[in-house]
Amino acid sequence: MQRQGSGGNAAVVVRVTGFVFLVAHLLLVSWVGLLPRDVAWVTAPNTVPLAGLRADLALGPAEAARLIAEGLLLLAPLGVLLPMCEGRLDVSRWGSLTRTVAAGALVSLALELLQTAVPGQVVDVDSVFLNTLGVALAHLLVVPAARARLRRRAARQGRGQGRGRGFGRGQVVAGSDPAQGRTPRIPRVPIAR
């Protein structure tokens, strides 16, 4: 990618944009998920895996599809925004997926645990499952294709400038400064007895 404006680079722009959208999304999810509800009665917490999904499916196909889609889509943007905050192009697909899904599961679990203190909100273990699945699906559908497209664009621009730099594992978005050299090594000193 090209350098942006006065001395900044695209990696910083991508990271900052991702972070801003991530914070905005988490604030919105917190507000929606932790809003007290005025209800005459509250159902019992669901701590049996897949029991809530079976109950949703018993409501009919249209209502079940709506409830399952809500669960999948609530935290799905984290599947794209978390890797965007990282700003790296050439990383392990499985490592990126694992980190993103783990972070999504932790956010979902935290949201469910915080709901125990909110009137009218009930803990549902299936919500954690659906939210985490939504994060994983969003990551798998968007991130690998977006990274491949950005790598192709960066390679094309590198050839156009005559600099043909390749990408090493873990390098940030193209346009970043080259490495500063080797990391200095400190010789080991034996411990006195």
Side-chain angles (χ1 to χ4, degrees):
M1 295 182 80
Q2 298 175 3
R3 291 200 174 263
Q4 304 287 327
S6 59
N9 62 31
V12 173
V13 172
V14 168
R15 286 179 181 152
V16 170
T17 304
F19 183 74
V20 168
F21 283 131
L22 178 67
V23 169
H25 178 69
L26 288 176
L27 286 173
L28 178 68
V29 166
S30 299
W31 180 72
V32 169
L34 300 175
L35 190 65
R37 295 183 182 168
D38 292 330
V39 291
W41 55 273
V42 177
T43 60
N46 174 24
T47 57
V48 179
L50 303 179
L53 288 175
R54 279 189 223 107
D56 290 346
L57 292 171
L59 295 173
E63 186 66 15
R66 185 186 68 79
L67 292 171
I68 291 172
E70 281 179 7
L72 287 173
L73 296 176
L74 181 66
L75 293 180
L78 294 182
V80 176
L81 294 174
L82 288 171
M84 195 173 165
C85 288
E86 186 181 24
R88 294 175 185 235
L89 283 180
D90 197 13
V91 295
S92 166
R93 286 183 180 186
W94 295 112
S96 176
L97 178 66
T98 303
R99 282 189 304 270
T100 304
V101 170
L106 289 174
V107 168
S108 179
L109 182 63
L111 186 64
E112 288 297 318
L113 292 176
L114 287 172
Q115 283 181 345
T116 60
V118 178
Q121 296 282 2
V122 180
V123 174
D124 186 4
V125 71
D126 292 335
S127 293
V128 176
F129 173 70
L130 286 174
N131 292 340
T132 304
L133 184 61
V135 170
L137 289 174
H139 183 87
L140 288 172
L141 291 174
V142 175
V143 173
R147 282 184 174 154
R149 182 173 180 230
L150 289 171
R151 279 194 299 268
R152 282 193 305 270
R153 180 190 294 175
R156 198 170 46 244
Q157 287 177 352
R159 280 193 309 263
Q161 295 171 359
R163 290 191 303 204
R165 281 196 320 225
F167 297 104
R169 275 202 116 45
Q171 281 187 331
V172 296
V173 175
S176 62
D177 296 328
Q180 298 294 317
R182 291 177 41 141
T183 304
R185 299 245 171 179
I186 300 172
R188 294 181 180 235
V189 178
I191 299 175
R193 293 184 185 197

